[in-house]
Amino acid sequence: GAALTPQALDARHWQPEGRTALVLGPEAHGLDAAWLERCDRLIAIPMANRMDSLNVSAAGAILMFKMMED
Protein backbone atom coordinates (compact mmCIF):
# COMPACT_ATOMS: atom_id res chain seq x y z
CA GLY A 1 0.00 0.00 0.00
CA ALA A 2 1.18 3.51 -0.77
CA ALA A 3 1.13 5.58 2.42
CA LEU A 4 2.90 8.54 3.97
CA THR A 5 3.37 6.92 7.36
CA PRO A 6 6.47 6.68 9.55
CA GLN A 7 6.65 2.89 9.13
CA ALA A 8 6.46 3.02 5.31
CA LEU A 9 9.51 1.87 3.36
CA ASP A 10 11.16 4.44 1.11
CA ALA A 11 10.14 3.52 -2.46
CA ARG A 12 13.75 3.89 -3.60
CA HIS A 13 14.60 0.82 -1.50
CA TRP A 14 11.49 -1.22 -2.31
CA GLN A 15 11.97 -4.39 -4.31
CA PRO A 16 8.61 -6.04 -5.06
CA GLU A 17 8.68 -9.80 -4.83
CA GLY A 18 6.60 -12.16 -6.94
CA ARG A 19 3.00 -11.28 -7.56
CA THR A 20 2.30 -7.86 -6.06
CA ALA A 21 -0.90 -5.85 -5.78
CA LEU A 22 -0.56 -2.09 -5.50
CA VAL A 23 -3.13 -0.33 -3.28
CA LEU A 24 -3.56 3.45 -3.65
CA GLY A 25 -5.98 5.70 -1.83
CA PRO A 26 -7.72 8.96 -2.71
CA GLU A 27 -5.48 11.98 -3.13
CA ALA A 28 -7.00 14.02 -0.33
CA HIS A 29 -6.88 11.45 2.49
CA GLY A 30 -4.89 8.41 1.33
CA LEU A 31 -5.72 4.91 2.50
CA ASP A 32 -7.87 4.60 5.59
CA ALA A 33 -6.83 2.50 8.58
CA ALA A 34 -8.78 -0.57 7.45
CA TRP A 35 -6.91 -0.67 4.11
CA LEU A 36 -3.54 0.02 5.75
CA GLU A 37 -4.06 -2.99 8.05
CA ARG A 38 -4.69 -5.26 5.03
CA CYS A 39 -1.40 -4.35 3.35
CA ASP A 40 1.64 -6.58 3.83
CA ARG A 41 3.98 -3.65 3.29
CA LEU A 42 3.63 0.13 3.14
CA ILE A 43 5.67 2.15 0.64
CA ALA A 44 6.24 5.92 0.57
CA ILE A 45 7.57 8.03 -2.29
CA PRO A 46 9.98 10.59 -0.80
CA MET A 47 8.90 14.16 -1.41
CA ALA A 48 11.07 17.22 -2.05
CA ASN A 49 10.59 20.86 -1.13
CA ARG A 50 8.09 20.16 1.66
CA MET A 51 5.51 18.71 -0.73
CA ASP A 52 3.15 16.43 1.14
CA SER A 53 1.79 14.19 -1.62
CA LEU A 54 1.56 13.42 -5.32
CA ASN A 55 -1.40 13.12 -7.62
CA VAL A 56 -2.60 9.52 -7.25
CA SER A 57 -2.02 8.76 -10.94
CA ALA A 58 1.56 10.08 -10.74
CA ALA A 59 2.24 8.07 -7.57
CA GLY A 60 0.78 4.96 -9.20
CA ALA A 61 2.93 5.44 -12.30
CA ILE A 62 6.10 5.78 -10.22
CA LEU A 63 5.35 2.67 -8.18
CA MET A 64 4.29 0.62 -11.22
CA PHE A 65 7.54 1.60 -12.94
CA LYS A 66 9.40 0.41 -9.85
CA MET A 67 7.50 -2.89 -10.09
CA MET A 68 8.90 -3.39 -13.62
CA GLU A 69 12.58 -3.03 -12.62
CA ASP A 70 14.70 -6.14 -12.64
Side-chain angles (χ1 to χ4, degrees):
L4 293 174
T5 62
Q7 67 270 26
L9 176 67
D10 185 318
R12 294 173 291 189
H13 306 294
W14 176 47
Q15 295 183 336
E17 299 172 12
R19 294 178 61 132
T20 301
L22 183 59
V23 182
L24 302 166
E27 293 172 27
H29 307 288
L31 294 170
D32 64 28
W35 278 107
L36 292 173
E37 289 176 18
R38 290 182 177 110
C39 295
D40 294 327
R41 179 170 290 158
L42 300 177
I43 308 299
I45 299 169
M47 304 300 296
N49 300 324
R50 296 187 298 228
M51 297 297 295
D52 62 352
S53 67
L54 289 171
N55 171 283
V56 70
S57 62
I62 290 167
L63 294 174
M64 285 184 272
F65 180 80
K66 182 73 176 169
M67 292 170 76
M68 298 300 297
E69 290 181 341
D70 289 328

